[in-house]
Amino acid sequence: MTEKPVKGMLTGPVTILNWSYTRTDISRQEQAFQIALALRDEVADLEAAGAKVIQVDEPALREGLPLKPQRWSEYLSWAVDAFRLATAVAQPQTQIHTHMCYCEFGDIIKDIERLDADVISIENSRSNNQTLREITEGGYSHQVGNGVYDIHSPVVPTTEQILQQLRTGVANLPVKQIWVNPDCGLKTRRWEEVIPSIKNMVDAAKILREEVNITKGD
């Protein structure tokens, strides 16, 4: 229906598991892998249909952490493996994205990096750049879509406000590591709020490209 690039969207296996009433006759790890295998088929189908970018969201990754920290390593090991099982079917030229929304990153940043997603989009403006700082301090090496405006507010951000948020991102990460996106999805907003916000976001990205002297393809 379009010649423009299309991003395929899926909910990740660990988030589906953590937000569901799970079975009690088999382990949560086994259930996560079974869900991952089903999602793996979805990833392959999206790719076959022409999707060049596929996003597998895992906002509930941290929610599943056991209460006892000494059990975190075991959980994160199979949780990350479940994500990779779902996404590893994609060809090298297909970009794999993930999104973790309102999640604290600092103490599990290395596990998040092990997801091996090409790009992670994060809530950032609502937390006043706390997530961005955690990613920077953790030495995260993959690309980052640091959210540039709060989608839970009906206020339409100005181009200058978004530009300032982008400048904060560039001050913390190499510019070629940064993507431009809102904090999260837009389903809570009306069209009269979404359209001008996205236009301002695009304008801000264009201004920043000129400031740092990069081309659109970079």
Side-chain angles (χ1 to χ4, degrees), residues 44-60:
D45 287 344
L46 284 167
E47 189 175 59
K52 303 299 184 185
V53 178
I54 300 173
Q55 182 166 311
V56 181
D57 290 348
E58 285 289 22

Side-chain angles (χ1 to χ4, degrees), residues 97-109:
H97 290 222
T98 192
H99 173 58
M100 295 198 170
C101 205
Y102 302 97
C103 175
E104 295 179 2
F105 283 65
D107 51 0
I108 60 170
I109 191 67

